[in-house]
Amino acid sequence: MRIKTAGWDARYFQMTFQLIFLSYGFLWLHWNTELISGLIFITSGFVFQYIADVLFIKKNALAIRNKNNWQSVLVSCLSLCLLLKTNGWFICVLASAITIFSKYIFRIRGKHIFNPSALGIAATVYLTGNAWISPAQWGSSIVLLFAITCLGCIVVTKVQKLDVTLAFTGTYAALLFARQVLYQGWPLDFFMQSVTTGSLLLFSFFMISDPKTTPDHPAVRIIWAMAVALISFYLTAFKFVNGAPIWVLVCSQPFVPLLDLLFKAKRFEWKTPSVEKKFSIINSTIKPSNNYH
Amino acid sequence: MKQKLFILSATIAASPLLYSFCGFYVSKADATLKNKTSQVILVRDGNRNVITMFNDFKGDTKDFAMVVPVPVTLQKSDVKVIDQSLFQRLNDYSAPRLVEYYDENPCEPNNRRYKALSGKVSGVMVDEAVVTKSELKKDYHVKVEAQYIVGEYDIIILSAKESNGLKNWLTDNGYKIPKGAEEVLDPYIKSNLKFFVVKVNEQEKKKLPGNFLRPIQISFNSPKFMLPIRLGMANADGDQDLVVYAFTRKGRIECTNYRNVNIPTGNKVPLFVQKNFGNFYDNLFTHQWQRENQDVSFLEYAWDVSPQNFYHCDPCIATAPSEYDLVQSGVWWLQKDWSDYSDVNDDNEDDNLSRNVHFTRLHFRYNRNHFAQDLMFQVTPNTETFQARYVITHPATGNFTCDAGKKYIQELKSRRRGELAELTSLTGKGIDNWQDAASASNDEEDQPEAQYATLLQQANAEDEESNRSVAGIVLLGVTMLGSVGLMRWKGMI
């Protein structure tokens, strides 16, 4: 059984949008150093994926090697390219390693716990102290344009589910609006600048919405996204934490398996041709999944 | 083309800086007080902040008053005045620079020339703070949290419940609030900010030589790392410039709510730029600012200026800030009790690490339409060095009759055409704008056919910018088409 989405893999859509966003950075905003670190993220990502395939999959008797893993690797690595800034190539390699291996190491009941790129970013920033996130690197006006286009594309093509994205963005924006405009009395453009940051856009469309690391139950999923938004808002507005949503997401994800256990529901699987052929029904929440995304 | 050793050019102020604060002036007379350019030193490590604001107020000091929103109530020990020459030294040291190179005549042996630079260090005075009194103004719902005299300034820290009360208090106490400031007072009150109100104490002022006001330095603990610029927009016409000198222990600072852009650097520009480098940089900054949609933070300088790091710039255009300068700027982690020898035998390496100082110079040009929010910053671990640096190259002298010499002339011509195109691309001024400057430099030239004035007539003004945009659109189109093609191939659409 599979949650109904569009007829094709959402990761192609994500990849396209991430590539457009990235090319905008390279061509218009002249991100020159990011080109090299971007190449390192992607190359090392694929190398680590190969190593992980060799190390982990052969040991697992139930495993069927998924040939279509490259979409997940590319989407995760592009997220790193777009969000993470580092002091050196070895930090990039470390971030890729955490991103890729986290999917194999942190697993409960066949589902990986953390969103790979969110964990990769958070762990690299926290552990090395040599990486950081630049939330404003796209400027404000273009982000709004991208957000609207992105939302439009999803609505028209139904390529991925919007429930988590809308629940998170809606709650977060509503709370910011209530505080900044209604309570503090700042003009509307002050609020617009707060919500149109590139990192927030990428986070809400491509990170928190990852169906593999959100609760299976639809209602629980929405409440969970709203809770992430609430805590992120608190940390941003009152504690002045930069990049709060990513930290909150990573900290909240260990609770997702617990929520899945309490509120049982059908599990999401990427719709990829190879998976379809080899096993089409994954209905059990107890049996380990073979799909290493 | 051979280029032999470089010589450091003299430092030239980037743009005429009219120094003032990031707060707003509240005039006590009806004089129209404007602040156009501010200079601020920010020091940040952990939650500790030191902010120094420099003021070049011109006029009767009786009319001077300033309001700055601050996150906490500042006590007398948190406020001091410092010597204003510190700002000049920081500006001189970190300002955009012009570098000279000399070509070697391929037909003759080289001759080397050097120019030396000198810097001057002057003393710093710190005045004692004196507490006077504290009082409660119930009628206005305004609370005077603290009141004291520091140096030549009367300082009051106010907290308010609502903006009308604050406005009335200021008006009734003889402060004139500029039009437009009222509407931003309320959001600041609701953000739990206090108001740091400063005016000149005439008696204290008379005790000091000279007719200038010294910079005020405030220190406080707060997780907020920001500069309030919204109040400063209240009494400024159009665009205001702000230069931020930041010192941290970890690395560069960057803006978290405006895009961070490095000002173009390393560009080869024509020789005649030397005659008016200030004007050149002013044009360059304005052009880049317009190109970047007017809402960015420009990086002009970033370097490790730790006392243990002796390599402070390349090239240095002024003496690097001394340890004493850094301490005066507020870099508290360098302060050391020199009479305490207990750490003499300690591991020096740890001590050195904790004494790291990274210097960042950011340049903002803001206006109300493009800067809706105050400037928020973060300290990043980015330790990469950066300087705004432009290169001029003097041609070789002598005769070029040998084969290599003829080749050199050809190369010189092509290089100079490139320099002219670069000048246009950087400053946005068409090649015709530089005609006079190019002609004026002719008397220095040996080779008539390689003169800028001659080349100008031949040069085709290439609009590099539009070419880049076209290339961008083409590439983006190819990416999108490629993606659609891939999806089609995979049978998804």
Side-chain angles (χ1 to χ4, degrees), chain B residues 384-402:
Chain B
E384 202 187 332
T385 57
F386 180 86
Q387 54 186 345
R389 178 177 178 272
Y390 308 93
V391 181
I392 53 170
T393 316
H394 292 279
T397 49
N399 71 61
F400 302 96
T401 44
C402 68

Side-chain angles (χ1 to χ4, degrees), chain B residues 156-177:
Chain B
I156 300 170
I157 311 287
L158 292 177
S159 67
K161 289 270 191 296
E162 44 100 26
S163 58
N164 276 338
L166 179 66
K167 194 187 80 183
N168 291 341
W169 188 94
L170 289 169
T171 314
D172 293 355
N173 282 276
Y175 296 91
K176 193 174 153 54
I177 300 172

Side-chain angles (χ1 to χ4, degrees), chain A residues 87 129 133-134 184 190 193-194, chain B residues 187 254 257 368 373 378 381:
Chain A
N87 256 348
I133 306 166
S134 289
Q184 292 183 331
F190 184 99
Q193 200 179 334
S194 309
Chain B
E254 64 173 39
N257 56 347
R368 173 62 192 87
Q373 295 190 346
Q378 69 172 346

Side-chain angles (χ1 to χ4, degrees), chain B residues 82 86 163 165 182 390 424 429:
Chain B
I82 64 158
L86 177 65
S163 58
E182 271 174 56
Y390 308 93
T424 309
K429 297 237 181 253

